[in-house]
Amino acid sequence: MDSDDENMEEVIEGPLDEDDQPHGFCTITYSSSDRFEGHFVHGEKNGRGKFYFFDGSILEGYYVDDALQAQGVYTYEDGGVLHGTYLEGELNGPAREYDAEGRLIFKGQYKDNTRHGVCWLYYPVRQLQ
C-alpha cells in the first residue's frame, strides 16, 4: 500500500518548517484513511515511524529520506506479524513471519517484496481427535 501518492489530500498535525512541510514529530492522515506518525525532516520521513493502514495493518520501522530502511515490523490486520529487513522501502533480506498465535510460519529471504531463494514454510501440527 502506498499512501504517499502525490494526488492524495492530507492533514498534518505537528510542527512545520518555513516551507510548510512537516518537520519534527508529526501525524499525517491521508484521504485514504491511512495515517503516519513519526519524525520528519523538511517533509520527508526520517527516524522512527509507524504507518496505520485503513485495513487495520501497521508498518513500523526506521525511515531515511522518506523510505523504510533496516529492520521493520509489519502487523497484519489479523494479528500476524512479519519481521523483515527493508531497503529503500521494500523487503530485501532475511525475514520471519508469525501467525496471530505467535507461531513461526515463514523463515527466509525476500527480494523486492517477494519471497526469494531458500525459504522455509511452517504449518501447525493438528491433533486428531
Side-chain angles (χ1 to χ4, degrees), residues 108-129:
Q109 299 285 321
Y110 272 80
K111 182 177 180 182
D112 301 326
N113 285 336
T114 303
R115 290 178 179 172
H116 179 78
V118 177
C119 299
W120 292 268
L121 296 174
Y122 299 89
Y123 299 95
V125 176
R126 299 192 182 186
Q127 299 210 0
L128 298 174
Q129 295 190 31

Side-chain angles (χ1 to χ4, degrees), residues 62-75:
Y62 192 84
Y63 290 79
V64 176
D65 297 331
D66 228 23
L68 190 58
Q69 301 288 353
Q71 295 299 304
V73 178
Y74 183 84
T75 304

Side-chain angles (χ1 to χ4, degrees), residues 14-56:
L16 303 176
D17 66 10
E18 60 279 355
D19 296 321
D20 290 330
Q21 296 294 313
H23 191 73
F25 186 85
C26 296
T27 298
I28 296 183
T29 304
Y30 300 91
S31 58
S32 64
S33 297
D34 295 345
R35 183 177 84 244
F36 181 82
E37 295 178 357
H39 293 274
F40 289 82
V41 175
H42 302 295
E44 291 190 338
K45 297 175 202 78
N46 275 286
R48 299 280 318 153
K50 201 182 264 194
F51 247 117
Y52 297 88
F53 295 103
F54 69 91
D55 65 0

Side-chain angles (χ1 to χ4, degrees), residues 47-114:
R48 299 280 318 153
K50 201 182 264 194
F51 247 117
Y52 297 88
F53 295 103
F54 69 91
D55 65 0
S57 59
I58 300 169
L59 179 59
E60 180 177 10
Y62 192 84
Y63 290 79
V64 176
D65 297 331
D66 228 23
L68 190 58
Q69 301 288 353
Q71 295 299 304
V73 178
Y74 183 84
T75 304
Y76 297 94
E77 61 274 12
D78 69 358
V81 178
L82 178 119
H83 295 264
T85 304
Y86 288 81
L87 178 63
E88 299 296 320
E90 295 194 354
L91 274 168
N92 279 292
R96 289 178 183 241
E97 193 168 348
Y98 300 87
D99 67 13
E101 285 78 42
R103 296 178 294 223
L104 181 65
I105 58 172
F106 170 82
K107 178 181 173 184
Q109 299 285 321
Y110 272 80
K111 182 177 180 182
D112 301 326
N113 285 336
T114 303

